[in-house]
Amino acid sequence: MVAFTNHALDHLLESVLKAEITRKIVRLGGRSQSEALQPYMLDKVEKFNASYLQRGINAAYGNMKRAEETFHQTIKEFTTQEMDGLDLLLQMDYPSHYTSLLCPPYDVQEYLGDAYGYDFGKTYRFWLRRRDGRTQSGRHVRPLRTLLETADMWSMNPEEVKNLSQKWEHERTERSKILKMANYDRCREAYQEAVRRLEEFQSTQRLESLRSLDIIGCTTTGAARLLDLLKGLQPKVILVEEAGQVLEAHSLATLVPSVQHLVMIGDPQQLRPTINNYDFATENPYGGQLFKFDQSLMERLAWSGLPMAQLSIQRRMRPEVSSFIRGCLYPGLQDHESVLYYPQVRGIAKNVWFFHHTNKEGGGGEDAVSKCNMFEVEMIKSLVQFFLRQGVYNSPSSIVVLCAYLGQLTKVRDALSDCKLSVVLDERDEDLLLAKGEDQEESPQVTKKQVDISKQVRIRTVDNFQGEEADIIILSLVRNPGPGSGGGI
């Protein structure tokens, strides 16, 4: 099962559980807000279905950590200034110089003591300092080419020692870089291979855990991210919820080679997919007919003549509401018997009520962020408080405020964020079971509770409310030119 939004996916999977169709489901992704689906999240299912593969995963994880430590140590060594391998360089490329260095004059041998003939580092450092006094400091400095051909290192003056040592230091540095880079590449490849092996074991365990399940749910974004997992599971049926609002590319991405049946649920006559560039939209007079990037796969198939089944009975709206869309979109829409007996809205004379006013809108420009109407904001705040005081619309799913513009949504949110409502409760009404058996002559204790209105009401833009429902909907259309002007909504 694939849905466009996390809310729609949660609602879809909750419906499966509520109808007791199956309990063998899993919800991919970590943005679920449903408490009922927490036991069915991927990590919980994997932990419950841990198998013999866990030993291989632990071993692969250990190998990966060791490779990671070696890799980090290699990086640390690569950035250090200490250079080694000079003795190896001289042995391989300058063997006569190496032999001469380890065979110093007698007085130098006395200074070196036990290190004579064995400690290259100490001997080399002594040669650099030139303490033996055998050199001819006043002699003309021979060119570097002559020094490289001269095996007697102890006859060189300080300037010649400096030139020759710099030459060797440079060669050692370059060779050390090459060797360390090769070691770095080797450690990096070993680490990447260890990570690949770990991911392979984890994917295998995940596949083993999911193969026995009946339903796998994810969003369209999650399906694209977990495409390899879907290919491994080889699903035969893909069900796409809100298919009319899903980009065609996203729908096609879920169609792995094993799919035999695609079920698309949605309405191609309602909101199209959202794209960021209007130049590629269907309604664009220039590029619309060419690109149509905001056309869903469901809409394209519908307009191409592919037969589609349409639900003709609605079970959400009371007849006063459904009559609005029956006249323009769905002339054959019928009301289910259950919607005929909805209770009347508490505290108001009409179940559907339009209010006309001439209070001018605020904000500049034509962008959705700036438009607002403070008169409607204050009226929404009062209406919300009024409905909450009725005592029957107290759950977060009871009241929703829909705004035509983001700017209005921001103003409504700010107005409700600091708004508190005092609810007075009788203690005996608060808990009837505990009150049962108590002395009815006893005077009741009255408690006062502060309710945060912002947590009791949902606020949405019109587009983002598609597919959801509420007991009471307050719609703010925002636009109004003010008194004496035409064209207001």
Side-chain angles (χ1 to χ4, degrees), residues 88 117 157-158 180 187 273 296 303 317 329 368 371 441 455:
L88 184 61
N157 62 30
K180 288 186 176 183
C187 292
S296 65
W303 290 114
M317 300 169 283
L329 291 177
K371 293 298 179 183
E441 299 294 330
K455 296 181 179 179

Side-chain angles (χ1 to χ4, degrees), residues 31-270:
R31 300 184 62 183
S32 174
Q33 302 296 325
S34 172
E35 292 294 332
L37 293 178
Q38 293 308 308
Y40 301 96
M41 301 300 290
L42 179 59
D43 56 339
K44 302 289 178 50
V45 173
E46 286 182 336
K47 186 179 297 184
F48 180 77
N49 294 298
S51 63
Y52 65 93
L53 293 172
Q54 190 61 43
R55 180 178 299 178
I57 291 178
N58 293 337
Y61 180 79
N63 292 335
M64 187 270 292
K65 294 302 292 184
R66 286 189 290 272
E68 182 180 3
E69 293 175 0
T70 304
F71 186 43
H72 287 165
Q73 183 63 29
T74 302
I75 295 176
K76 184 178 180 180
E77 293 176 354
F78 191 86
T79 56
T80 55
Q81 296 298 323
E82 292 187 11
M83 294 290 183
D84 53 4
L86 182 60
D87 56 340
L88 184 61
L89 171 69
L90 295 183
Q91 288 185 63
M92 295 180 62
D93 295 351
Y94 306 97
S96 58
H97 292 76
Y98 180 80
T99 303
S100 175
L101 184 67
L102 293 181
C103 297
Y106 180 75
D107 55 340
V108 178
Q109 296 178 18
E110 289 184 345
Y111 171 79
L112 295 176
D114 295 338
Y116 162 64
Y118 298 99
D119 193 336
F120 173 84
K122 186 175 181 180
T123 307
Y124 184 77
R125 287 191 295 272
F126 182 83
W127 175 73
L128 289 177
R129 292 195 299 267
R130 299 304 295 113
R131 294 181 176 176
D132 60 312
R134 296 179 67 250
T135 60
Q136 303 174 18
S137 57
R139 191 184 63 189
H140 177 70
V141 178
R142 292 171 290 180
L144 182 61
R145 184 178 59 183
T146 303
L147 298 178
L148 293 175
E149 298 173 353
T150 302
D152 187 5
M153 296 182 60
W154 298 100
S155 64
M156 299 179 185
N157 62 30
E159 190 66 24
E160 292 173 344
V161 169
K162 177 183 177 181
N163 294 339
L164 185 58
S165 62
Q166 288 179 348
K167 163 69 174 176
W168 287 342
E169 287 292 338
H170 177 73
E171 290 186 10
R172 179 182 66 171
T173 300
E174 294 302 318
R175 182 168 300 183
S176 179
K177 285 182 179 180
I178 295 174
L179 294 176
K180 288 186 176 183
M181 182 60 72
N183 188 40
Y184 170 84
D185 292 337
R186 179 183 58 81
C187 292
R188 177 175 55 83
E189 293 174 359
Y191 173 70
Q192 291 176 341
E193 177 63 19
V195 171
R196 188 193 65 79
R197 289 287 297 168
L198 176 60
E199 292 177 346
E200 184 178 306
F201 271 106
Q202 291 175 334
S203 298
T204 303
Q205 185 195 42
R206 183 170 294 176
L207 286 174
E208 291 297 324
S209 301
L210 301 182
R211 285 188 194 279
S212 59
L213 300 177
D214 296 328
I215 297 176
I216 299 171
C218 62
T219 60
T220 53
T221 304
R225 189 176 67 252
L226 300 173
L227 188 59
D228 291 337
L229 178 63
L230 291 179
K231 290 180 179 179
L233 290 171
Q234 298 182 342
K236 292 182 173 57
V237 179
I238 294 289
L239 187 148
V240 182
E241 170 70 332
E242 295 179 334
Q245 200 178 354
V246 178
L247 290 168
E248 182 172 10
H250 287 188
S251 297
L252 295 176
T254 64
L255 302 182
V256 294
S258 62
V259 174
Q260 301 176 9
H261 189 186
L262 173 64
V263 181
M264 308 189 78
I265 302 175
D267 191 344
Q269 298 191 67
Q270 292 192 24

